[in-house]
Amino acid sequence: MELLTNRQLLEHWVRETRSAGHRLGFVPTMGALHAGHRSLFLAARQTCDRVIGSIFVNPTQFGPNEDYQRYPRTLEQDQALLEEAGCDALFLPTVQDIYPDGHQTQIQVRDLADDLCGRCRPGHFQGVATVVAILFNLVRPDQACFGLKDYQQFLVIRRMVRDLAMPIEVTGLPTVREADGLAMSSRNRYLDPPARQRALALFRAMERAQVAYAGGETDAARLEELARQVLTEAGIGQIDYVAVRDPDTLLPLARIEQDPVILVAARVGAARLIDNRRLVRN
Ligand code: AMP
């Protein structure tokens, strides 16, 4: 795997790859990689001739009191995982590579980015959309793979790509979970054993809503209440949201007409965790 530690090296690699006519797959990440990330690289490997990843802990998507400084950085293990997943190149930009002096331009995806995590983390999706647009312009991939674990982020990026007519296929891949159901996340490293146990309630809360939905419950507020109860009973006090929403627009549902998505965000111990799943009739 080639290590591209600055913008010039990346640009050179991209030029060579494109002039060879290869179909290029791209997986942007913030590192501290796990089997969830691995699944994205394996998916890109299936459909592309060359696969490139990036690791960049993007300062602009963190709020002033969030975990930018302490976000886990595990480059050596990350490299080993990527080698094993058949990744061809890894882009490791500096902040200056992404935001050269005088950077002024932001990308805002309205509506989709305003609610849920956008409401709890003001400016977050603007930071995400902007960095992804810059990375897309540098890497010029044919396909980019994202996890549905970050469902709102996936919808925001898909919208941006459509609205700005970027010639990129955006693929969303299923959430990879631990054996007990906890969604894999780089931030799970912040959980001590009791918090790790409590964190399982996110998965169980969504399951509770699924059971009720499959049993005929069609009131979104009632489904949210059932899921919220599971979190509260597990001792999770700081719930950012529990929301049953339209899977395309993320708008609240007066009446459920197509299978909705349930999204949860809560602080558990030292971590803010998010998770989601589609509810299905079975
Ligand atoms: P991150 O480095 O956590 O910002 O995530 C980089 C990419 O990995 C994003 O597209 C995430 O949605 C995806 N991802 C993170 N966790 C998982 C998971 N458990 N399963 C699948 N994809 C994931």
Side-chain angles (χ1 to χ4, degrees):
M1 180 174 69
E2 285 197 51
L3 285 189
L4 310 169
T5 50
N6 63 47
R7 193 166 165 154
Q8 287 67 40
L9 289 170
L10 172 82
E11 283 166 352
H12 179 74
W13 188 88
V14 168
R15 258 197 312 276
E16 300 246 297
T17 304
R18 294 203 69 88
S19 61
H22 292 310
R23 177 177 163 86
L24 180 57
F26 177 42
V27 183
T29 81
M30 299 208 300
L33 303 181
H34 48 67
H37 299 113
R38 186 168 175 273
S39 74
L40 308 184
F41 283 91
L42 294 180
R45 184 79 278 166
Q46 295 274 309
T47 48
C48 298
D49 307 308
R50 292 287 180 275
V51 177
I52 181 167
S54 65
I55 296 181
F56 180 62
V57 184
N58 173 36
T60 69
Q61 71 188 68
F62 290 81
N65 299 313
E66 293 185 354
D67 55 343
Y68 175 64
Q69 293 299 341
R70 72 182 170 116
Y71 196 84
R73 287 154 170 96
T74 60
L75 185 56
E76 259 181 49
Q77 291 104 294
D78 292 352
Q79 274 179 243
L81 180 144
L82 294 178
E83 294 270 6
E84 190 265 335
C87 179
D88 298 296
L90 173 60
F91 181 37
L92 295 166
T94 63
V95 173
Q96 193 66 23
D97 283 323
I98 299 296
Y99 305 111
D101 286 340
H103 176 97
Q104 293 293 326
T105 306
Q106 300 289 318
I107 292 190
Q108 190 183 352
V109 179
R110 286 201 304 262
D111 290 357
L112 262 179
D114 291 342
D115 202 4
L116 304 170
C117 280
R119 191 180 297 278
C120 303
R121 306 181 69 191
H124 169 68
F125 286 118
Q126 203 162 315
V128 170
T130 304
V131 76
V132 171
I134 294 167
L135 289 167
F136 279 178
N137 284 333
L138 291 170
V139 173
R140 293 187 282 143
D142 298 285
Q143 186 181 358
C145 294
F146 292 86
L148 295 176
K149 151 84 167 43
D150 299 277
Y151 191 72
Q152 189 175 12
Q153 168 176 284
F154 168 73
L155 293 183
V156 164
I157 287 160
R158 196 176 66 177
R159 185 77 258 162
M160 173 186 79
V161 164
R162 286 181 188 165
D163 290 353
L164 299 181
M166 295 174 162
I168 298 170
E169 187 184 324
V170 176
T171 306
L173 292 144
T175 302
V176 176
R177 298 177 180 282
E178 304 284 357
D180 61 5
L182 180 68
M184 290 196 181
S185 162
S186 306
R187 290 189 168 96
N188 290 349
R189 293 161 194 257
Y190 301 154
L191 301 169
D192 62 18
R196 168 70 180 75
Q197 196 52 37
R198 281 204 305 289
L200 256 192
L202 272 72
F203 179 69
R204 282 194 283 109
M206 299 192 305
E207 259 192 344
R208 179 76 191 82
Q210 167 58 35
V211 169
Y213 181 70
E217 180 61 66
T218 55
D219 180 355
R222 177 70 188 139
L223 293 168
E224 290 168 359
E225 186 184 305
L226 289 168
R228 189 175 273 273
Q229 262 170 24
V230 175
L231 297 180
T232 315
E233 281 161 18
I236 295 178
Q238 267 181 278
I239 301 171
D240 279 352
Y241 57 78
V242 175
V244 173
R245 296 290 175 92
D246 179 279
D248 298 315
T249 63
L250 293 183
L251 289 171
L253 296 158
R255 225 187 25 255
I256 295 180
E257 273 157 11
Q258 64 162 327
D259 287 345
V261 60
I262 181 166
L263 306 104
V264 292
R267 180 159 281 278
V268 184
R272 180 181 181 276
L273 301 180
I274 60 172
D275 203 345
N276 72 85
R277 65 163 289 171
R278 196 76 184 260
L279 299 182
V280 289
R281 283 286 182 217
N282 288 337

